[in-house]
Amino acid sequence: MTMLDDLTTAAAWPTAYPQGYAVVDVETTGLARDDRIVSAAVYRLDAQGNVEDHWYTLVNPERDPGPVWIHGLTSDALEGAPLFPEIAAEFAARLDGRVLVAHNAIFDWQMIAREYARAESAAPVRQRLCTIALAKQLALPLPNHKLESLAAHFGVEQRQAHNALDDARVLAEAFRPSLHAAAEQGVRLPLLECRPLTEWAASPAASPSPYPSSPYRSNSWRPSRKRPACPYPNPGRYETDKPLKQGMRVAFSGDTSVDRELLEDRTVEAGLHVATSVSRLTSLLVTNDPDAATSKTLKARSFGTPVVDEAAYTQLLRDVAPADG
């Protein structure tokens, strides 16, 4: 019996590890706070990462389906699909008592939390695990941190990218060997707390700005907190047409379409440092209004700090280069 075989036994498995996982993928009408889920899939796994069952549903978003060229779901395909409140109980049953696992988990979690808040309910999720973060902790030799690269590393066939059911299957199959590798190497799983959104207020029907004010009521997401120090050294400034690198200092200025705290969470999970001000050490300023005369934009101009908008930054977050080892 190999060590890997031995690790699959209940007796040898680390007791600190969770007892069950819900591998999730959701396809959505977009990336902003008012976007909706159009399909969802869940693979339930046991403590060793073995598949117990799976579930998939379409969801009527009650609006334009968004990037059909990505997820392939047209208005006609979604017209007869259930509304989210109609599938909320079944979805919750699949998540209950398990760690939510997803590729870029903060995105899937925030979309799920918002849908439950709109339905005046809450998802029974207390912890999430991002497979990007786990891949980085395992130092997997990936060219980037896209799902297709993780799948290729473990020899998992990807049949229909951006189909929630197939993406969840691919991730479940790639997560199992990742989980075993973590157990074998004694790697602590990168578990993060999930605090359900308890209130929802839709954005104003009309707004003079393309980035309307936050729909979150005061303290509806979670209280503000001091973030842990970034564990990576600052590699310097961001360079155009190159990826972000772990340790870079990123500052934000002005309104964002994604809730600021969630955007900062994604930044921290990617291994970047959230800077509260702009200095000569700042790697990048993210703002949707670079011409605004704010202290951060003025300092960025004076220091020559690179500036990108939120949409460009969101794309950059998908493929952050590891810190120099």
Side-chain angles (χ1 to χ4, degrees):
M1 178 178 289
T2 66
M3 179 177 287
L4 185 60
D5 292 330
D6 185 59
L7 283 168
T8 62
T9 66
W13 201 260
T15 57
Y17 279 31
Q19 294 304 300
Y21 304 89
V23 178
V24 173
D25 186 77
V26 297
E27 296 300 318
T28 66
T29 60
L31 304 176
R33 61 166 67 96
D34 285 327
D35 278 302
R36 306 295 301 273
I37 290 175
V38 295
S39 63
V42 181
Y43 268 73
R44 289 196 290 192
L45 312 182
D46 66 16
Q48 287 78 44
N50 302 307
V51 175
E52 296 177 334
D53 58 29
H54 65 268
W55 172 80
Y56 170 75
T57 185
L58 296 177
V59 182
N60 187 336
E62 302 179 274
R63 51 155 289 177
D64 184 276
V68 174
W69 60 92
I70 295 178
H71 54 59
L73 297 173
T74 64
S75 294
D76 288 342
L78 297 170
E79 183 177 1
L83 303 179
F84 188 85
E86 296 172 327
I87 60 96
E90 177 66 15
F91 199 176
R94 301 279 168 173
L95 301 174
D96 194 18
R98 297 170 184 265
V99 171
L100 184 150
V101 177
H103 204 64
N104 192 16
I106 182 62
F107 173 75
D108 293 82
W109 166 243
Q110 71 184 27
M111 296 302 299
I112 292 167
R114 289 171 183 168
E115 288 287 7
Y116 273 97
R118 290 186 187 97
E120 299 182 348
S121 184
V125 179
R126 296 296 171 262
Q127 289 181 308
R128 67 179 183 270
L129 187 156
C130 180
T131 48
I132 295 176
L134 180 56
K136 290 177 179 178
Q137 287 196 196
L138 293 172
L140 299 181
L142 305 178
N144 53 55
H145 289 94
K146 296 178 180 179
L147 178 58
E148 62 192 52
S149 298
L150 185 67
H153 176 76
F154 289 113
V156 179
E157 180 187 2
Q158 194 171 26
R159 300 166 189 157
Q160 192 176 354
H162 300 295
N163 171 278
L165 183 60
D166 195 58
D167 280 355
R169 175 193 61 80
V170 168
L171 190 58
E173 291 184 21
F175 177 62
R176 185 174 186 272
S178 298
L179 184 63
H180 285 225
E184 184 175 12
Q185 298 172 28
V187 172
R188 184 174 181 178
L189 298 181
L191 301 174
L192 292 176
E193 181 183 8
C194 291
R195 295 195 180 184
L197 182 64
T198 56
E199 298 180 43
W200 175 261
S203 293
S207 173
S209 167
Y211 304 101
S213 59
S214 171
Y216 295 99
R217 298 175 187 175
S218 178
N219 294 326
S220 63
W221 184 259
R222 57 178 168 241
S224 61
R225 66 201 186 284
K226 183 178 179 180
R227 298 181 182 278
C230 180
Y232 308 108
N234 184 358
R237 290 185 173 178
Y238 165 71
E239 297 180 43
T240 304
D241 297 328
K242 291 187 178 180
L244 294 170
K245 182 176 286 187
Q246 288 181 326
M248 283 186 171
R249 299 175 64 90
V250 180
F252 299 90
S253 178
D255 290 336
T256 52
S257 61
V258 174
D259 183 74
R260 174 69 67 82
E261 263 200 303
L262 293 175
L263 193 58
E264 290 180 354
D265 274 351
R266 293 175 66 183
T267 298
V268 171
E269 287 187 357
L272 304 169
H273 173 89
V274 175
T276 56
S277 62
V278 173
S279 72
R280 297 184 188 277
L281 298 177
T282 304
S283 306
L284 181 68
L285 175 66
V286 179
T287 178
N288 291 315
D289 190 2
D291 297 322
T294 66
S295 61
K296 290 180 181 177
T297 56
L298 292 174
K299 286 182 178 179
R301 290 175 206 160
S302 68
F303 296 142
T305 305
V307 178
V308 301
D309 64 17
E310 180 187 356
Y313 181 66
T314 300
Q315 293 298 317
L316 289 170
L317 272 181
R318 295 182 177 183
D319 189 17
V320 177
D324 294 329

